[in-house]
Amino acid sequence: MEKLITAIHYGADAVYLGGSNYSLRAGAGNFTHQGIEQAVTYAHERKVKLYITVNIFAHDRDLQQFTDHLQALRDTGADGLIIADPGIFLLCRETLPDMPIHLSTQANVTNSQSARFWGLQGAQRINLARELGLEEIRTIKQESTTELEVFVHGALCISYSGRCMLSNYLTGRNANQGSCAHPCRYSYALVEEKRPGVYFPVQEDVRGTYIFNSKDLCLLGRLPELVAVGVDAIKIEGRMKSMGYVGAVVRVYRAALDFIQQQIKQGTALEKIILPDPFRHEIDKIGTRGQTENFFNDSPSSDAMLYDTIRTNQQYSPVGIVRKHTPLLIEVRNVLQQGDLIEYLGRDLAPSICTAVAMTTENGIPKERANPGDRIILTTSPALENPEINAVLRKKFDQKTT
């Protein structure tokens, strides 16, 4: 719920979430039925739409009480379902004929005829496969009357739009039913069967190599082109990410779309719109594995992989969430010390930079160090102007920070 609140705070027009069943992120902090109802109410009060993922690839054993589940989802008031499996799609159309359906990227729509097929089945929106380039997206948009959605940011699987069996074979955990163990992020080395225990690096590296470890998708700089094509929605992957990641990424993409809209109103042709450097500088503070544009221009090369580590050093992390603005009360998420330089993530792209000059508990006891979970009254220099509830504060960490 906290991630949902943060995404909405920073400008998401819609959010998507998973329930306890039938979702491809079984390991995420998913919602109970009551939690979904609360989330729908929260989103709708703020004029934000909410979609529920029902995107596993089902076996018959998974469908025994499925229609009851669908009816319960309808009663939450959600705006639609995100589905990948044709059988689940059919059951949804029969059980909830008025419920909008969005086709998941796992359905692997890679051509205009496939898009036309799903449109004829009743899909309101299609989230295209991640293996498409700009010109392919353009062709599908020209040939299709169905809304199109494109993933623009987040983790990438070494698979066909997320349909991977590596986890199932190596760990017995089925990624297509929500239980991926993420073996693509493991470090691998080569073993010859007659030399057990003798490891031969796949590359010349004593630590082995992360041969399946893709950099994260980032199409921030290509947003003007996607707008020009006529894509109806862009999507950010973040259900297994932190609250700080979700808020920071949504904030940058919201600012980018608003910038593009402003340029259009001023008469700038879309093909001439280029996001200024501060957008790139801000997104660079967020990434966990580096960045790739994946198939957007051409098939990705070896440069799209991160071979020597599971992730890059994430220098910036959230230190607090604003819970009250007068006085400034924050809930601490990482160690915050008196004298730390911190950044307040407001609505503008540029964060407000200030110093934590004093901290006290809610009872007025002074503190020089606040730990995760503490609630503190924070004094900054300069003082923050009109800090908003649910806004994020962050700071730059180094590897030695404890």
Side-chain angles (χ1 to χ4, degrees), residues 6 87 111 124 170 172 180 225 235-236 238 243 269 283 327 343 356 364 379:
T6 303
N111 61 75
Q124 183 184 86
L170 294 183
C180 185
E225 294 161 274
K235 193 167 190 175
I236 294 168
M243 169 277 304
I283 207 71
E343 297 182 351
T379 302

Side-chain angles (χ1 to χ4, degrees), residues 19 21 23 37 58 79 117 129 141 170 192 237 252 276:
N21 300 307
S23 166
E37 290 179 329
D79 296 285
F117 168 84
K141 181 61 181 177
L170 294 183
E192 199 274 323
E237 178 272 330
V252 174

Side-chain angles (χ1 to χ4, degrees), residues 16 25 105-106 108-110 127-133 150-157 159-162 217 235 237 293-296:
Y16 66 106
R25 290 294 184 271
T105 191
Q106 269 82 15
N108 308 138
V109 173
T110 58
N127 190 342
L128 295 173
R130 303 189 200 191
E131 293 74 33
L132 295 178
V150 173
F151 262 112
V152 295
H153 200 95
L156 289 171
C157 302
S159 63
Y160 219 124
S161 278
L217 176 66
K235 193 167 190 175
E237 178 272 330
E293 293 185 347
N294 203 27
F295 286 82
F296 199 80

Side-chain angles (χ1 to χ4, degrees), residues 255-296:
L257 290 177
D258 292 346
F259 173 82
I260 293 168
Q261 183 67 21
Q262 182 183 44
Q263 293 294 301
I264 293 171
K265 288 182 179 179
Q266 293 175 357
T268 306
L270 271 168
E271 61 271 16
K272 294 185 178 180
I273 296 177
I274 299 174
L275 295 181
D277 289 342
F279 284 94
R280 172 58 60 186
H281 296 158
E282 191 63 23
I283 207 71
D284 285 344
K285 295 180 179 181
I286 305 166
T288 56
R289 297 188 187 94
Q291 299 166 0
T292 174
E293 293 185 347
N294 203 27
F295 286 82
F296 199 80

